[in-house]
Structures are given as C-alpha cells and as structure tokens.
C-alpha cells in the first residue's frame, strides 16, 4: 500500500548521502564509522543514510497518520496525496480510527525506537512491547534505533518505548512500516536486515553527531509533499531519482548560504 511518507523518507536518506559526500570532512566520516563500529566507512555511509530515512518511521502509525495533512496548508497535489492515501488505507482495511477520535498517542521518535530493531535484523522471539532482546549480535540495532531523534543526552527509557509500542497499531501497520523501511533500504542499496553485520555501536553517546546529521537530513528533505512530490503512481525509480535531485539542490543551497 502506498504511503505518502515514502517520498520524505527516501529524500532524507538521499540528503544524508549528499552530506556525507560533500559536507563532512574525512575526519568526521571516520568518527561516524567509529561511533557505529562499522565494518568499513562505506558501510557506515550506507547505514547512516538508511537510518536517516528510517528515522521518520514513527510517523507511520495511527496517532500520526490519522491527522495526516490536518492543520497544514496543503497544495492541490498534497490534498490529492492525502485523499489517495486515505482511500487506499480504507480499501486495504488498515485499522484507522475516524478523524477526531481519541487515539493512543506517542512521540514518533519513541514509536520508531519501539519498532525499528525488529525491522533491521532482530527476529528474536519472546520479547514483547518493543523490549530489548538479549542477543549480543542485536545490541547495536537497539543502540542505533534509540539514538535516532535523541534530544540532547536524554537516554530513552524502556517504559517510554513500551508505552510507544502500544500506539503502533498492530500487524497491519507493521506491514506498512516494513514496506517503508524496504523502500528506503532499496534507495540506499542495502538489505535492511543486514544491519547487525554492518554496524555494532555500543555507546549511544558516540552517536550524538550522527543524531544531529539525522535532524539536518530530515530538515532538508521537508517540503516535498506540498510541492506535488508524493503520488501513488510514482515508481520506486521515479521516487529515488527525484529524491536524489532534491537532495543535491537542498545541500547546494545550504553550502551557498
Ligand atoms: Zn534480537
């Protein structure tokens, strides 16, 4: 099922690649690769781009999609994207509370932390509500997911993640998020479930610079939906191509300013 979030997520990944290649110094790149304990700088580059795109995953949940576009000044293309999405969601039976209904709320970054490890290689059974598994190979997935959108030095508490998990909407929404994660992975050129082989971060504090880059990538990726960027008729290639172009231009503008 098409989701309008895909364009902004893929674009955030594309922006991270541009920042990595054109803005970061060799020393900064090496520092990020070290923070990730990546097998190579190239692995760190791809994973950084993938995670920048995936960082918006929490928006693909009932509390955030019910109000999709509400209160925003949408262009005619944006209005169309909203109508297309709602129609598809309804038709495919995606559980969606009616507009205005009370919805269990959670911050998108907490929802992302609750669901991302499961989509990036942790398939351990017996852990519920976004609980961290005990597999040492998967430890880095949780460190990376918890470091996304981290505000300052606040560590994300397990209770917060468990509460956020209750706002994720269930299996039908899991499928929506899995498709979004796969779209970002496809754009970047990696297999989302291969993350445990590519990175092994252990210390969230060493991902602070990365967290700032994620915010920057998201900031520079915004504005596509309101410019007619998102359409359910776009192919993956068209979405990727436009994301690359948008990212190039956004980073060029930033460098000139
Ligand atoms: Zn696991």
């Amino acid at each position: 099922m098409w989701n309008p979030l895909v364009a902004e997520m893929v674009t955030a990944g594309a922006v991270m690649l541009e920042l990595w290649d054109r803005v970061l110094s060799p020393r900064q790149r090496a520092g990020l690769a070290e923070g990730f304990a990546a097998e190579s700088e190239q692995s760190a580059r791809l994973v950084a781009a993938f995670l920048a795109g995936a960082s918006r995953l929490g928006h693909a949940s009932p509390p955030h999609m019910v109000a999709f576009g509400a209160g925003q000044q949408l262009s005619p293309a944006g209005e169309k994207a909203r109508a297309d999405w709602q129609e598809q969601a309804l038709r495919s039976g995606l559980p969606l509370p009616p507009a205005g209904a009370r919805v269990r709320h959670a911050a998108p970054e907490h929802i992302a932390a609750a669901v991302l490890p499961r989509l990036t290689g942790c398939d351990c059974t017996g852990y519920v509500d976004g609980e961290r598994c005990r597999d040492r190979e998967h430890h880095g997935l949780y460190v990376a997911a918890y470091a996304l959108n981290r505000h300052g030095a606040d560590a994300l508490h397990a209770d917060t993640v468990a509460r956020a998990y209750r706002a994720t909407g269930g299996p039908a929404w899991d499928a929506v998020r899995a498709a979004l994660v796969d779209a970002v992975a496809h754009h970047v050129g990696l297999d989302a479930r291969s993350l445990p082989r590519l990175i092994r971060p252990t210390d969230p504090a060493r991902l602070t610079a990365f967290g700032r880059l994620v915010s920057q990538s998201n900031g520079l990726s915004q504005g596509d939906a309101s410019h007619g960027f998102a359409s359910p008729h776009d192919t993956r290639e068209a979405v990727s191509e436009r994301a690359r172009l948008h990212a190039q231009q956004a980073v060029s503008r930033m460098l000139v300013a």
Side-chain angles (χ1 to χ4, degrees), residues 3-27:
N3 189 300
L5 285 172
V6 72
E8 284 190 3
M9 289 174 69
V10 168
T11 304
V15 170
M16 179 65 89
L17 290 174
E18 290 285 322
L19 292 174
W20 188 283
D21 295 340
R22 295 169 60 195
V23 178
L24 297 185
S25 67
R27 192 195 166 112

Side-chain angles (χ1 to χ4, degrees), residues 122-124 133 135 138 142:
C122 174
D123 50 5
C124 300
C133 77
D135 187 333
H138 299 159
Y142 291 84

Side-chain angles (χ1 to χ4, degrees), residues 57-84:
L57 193 60
H59 289 270
S61 58
H64 300 286
M65 287 304 288
V66 160
F68 168 56
Q72 280 175 32
Q73 192 77 334
L74 290 179
S75 66
E79 291 288 353
K80 177 87 170 64
R82 171 163 58 188
D84 285 341

Side-chain angles (χ1 to χ4, degrees), residues 3 26 40 57 91 112 116 123 147 149 166 182 239-240 246 254:
N3 189 300
S40 67
L57 193 60
R91 200 154 16 114
L116 194 55
D123 50 5
N149 309 300
R166 285 178 230 130
D182 281 344
V239 172
S240 276
H246 175 98
M254 185 195 82

